[in-house]
Amino acid sequence: MSVDHKMDSSRRTLLLATSAAGGVAAVATAVPFVASLTPSERAKAAGAPVEADVSKLKPGEMMTVEWRGKPVWILRRTPEMLASLDKTDEKVSDPNSEEPQQPDYAKNKHRSIKPEYLVTVGICTHLGCSPSEKFKVGAEGGMTADWPGGFLCPCHGSLFDLAGRVYSSMPAPTNLEIPPHQYLADTTILVGDDGKA
């Protein structure tokens, strides 16, 4: 072997070792940088869909989940609650949900996919207050004798029926918002994603 051949072989080994070390260093530097570009867990949670297990929700009960920083109410309506919607049709300002406050699949009398479950954002459309539940019928719930049940916004007195439809002549201009949602199973609702996107 000549001296030139020995030198070329050592140079080649040094070049390969240096290249490998440089490649490892580049990857080690790039991984944290690329990872910093992905959204944080908090950012993901802020807009991410939320699963709600409604298996333990009894008829007449309501639960709240948080989606995009907003309270989302899931109300399991009783047959009596659903029957009350017929009585409020003439009292609400948008009985057929013509205003775009809900996805097309919730543009019906009960404003839901399944009549039994109401899924709505619990924020008044007037000034963003959170209405109170007033499910007890009549004066028993602190309302008028003919009150069929629903929601009351304590800030300025807006009334909503058990489908989240606002009563006529109230400060709230529109019905409560129905968020996009879908059923993953009979008792599991995914709020924030309706599978249409």
Side-chain angles (χ1 to χ4, degrees), residues 8-63:
D8 284 344
S9 140
S10 350
R11 281 185 185 170
R12 184 172 297 135
T13 303
L14 180 62
L15 180 64
L16 288 173
T18 306
S19 296
V24 168
V27 168
T29 303
V31 167
F33 176 72
V34 171
S36 74
L37 297 176
T38 61
S40 68
E41 290 302 315
R42 186 175 179 185
K44 286 181 195 173
V50 177
E51 278 189 34
D53 178 9
V54 295
S55 61
K56 293 182 173 82
L57 203 59
K58 294 181 178 116
E61 290 184 344
M62 184 174 80
M63 66 183 285

Side-chain angles (χ1 to χ4, degrees), residues 23-191:
V24 168
V27 168
T29 303
V31 167
F33 176 72
V34 171
S36 74
L37 297 176
T38 61
S40 68
E41 290 302 315
R42 186 175 179 185
K44 286 181 195 173
V50 177
E51 278 189 34
D53 178 9
V54 295
S55 61
K56 293 182 173 82
L57 203 59
K58 294 181 178 116
E61 290 184 344
M62 184 174 80
M63 66 183 285
T64 304
V65 296
E66 186 176 334
W67 172 67
R68 292 188 175 174
K70 302 175 189 174
V72 174
W73 297 333
I74 301 172
L75 170 63
R76 185 171 181 189
R77 296 179 281 206
T78 63
E80 294 79 20
M81 288 174 152
L82 288 169
S84 77
L85 299 179
D86 291 328
K87 298 172 189 169
T88 58
D89 269 349
E90 71 242 13
K91 297 178 181 179
V92 295
S93 63
D94 187 13
N96 299 318
S97 301
E98 298 299 328
E99 289 290 326
Q101 287 294 101
Q102 64 281 317
D104 285 340
Y105 52 80
K107 194 175 178 182
N108 49 51
K109 177 176 64 176
H110 40 79
R111 299 184 74 225
S112 60
I113 297 171
K114 294 182 179 182
E116 184 179 5
Y117 291 101
L118 171 66
V119 179
T120 187
V121 175
I123 297 177
C124 181
T125 55
H126 179 226
L127 293 176
C129 304
S130 187
S132 305
E133 58 182 70
K134 293 290 185 179
F135 298 155
K136 291 186 179 177
V137 177
E140 184 184 346
M143 302 296 285
T144 60
D146 63 343
W147 176 248
F151 303 96
L152 163 70
C153 184
C155 299
H156 297 99
S158 291
L159 300 173
F160 300 89
D161 71 0
L162 291 165
R165 301 179 300 180
V166 67
Y167 277 66
S168 299
S169 303
M170 292 289 145
T174 58
N175 296 337
L176 295 177
E177 177 189 355
I178 304 294
H181 63 283
Q182 62 179 304
Y183 285 82
L184 300 178
D186 278 345
T187 58
T188 307
I189 300 172
L190 183 66
V191 177

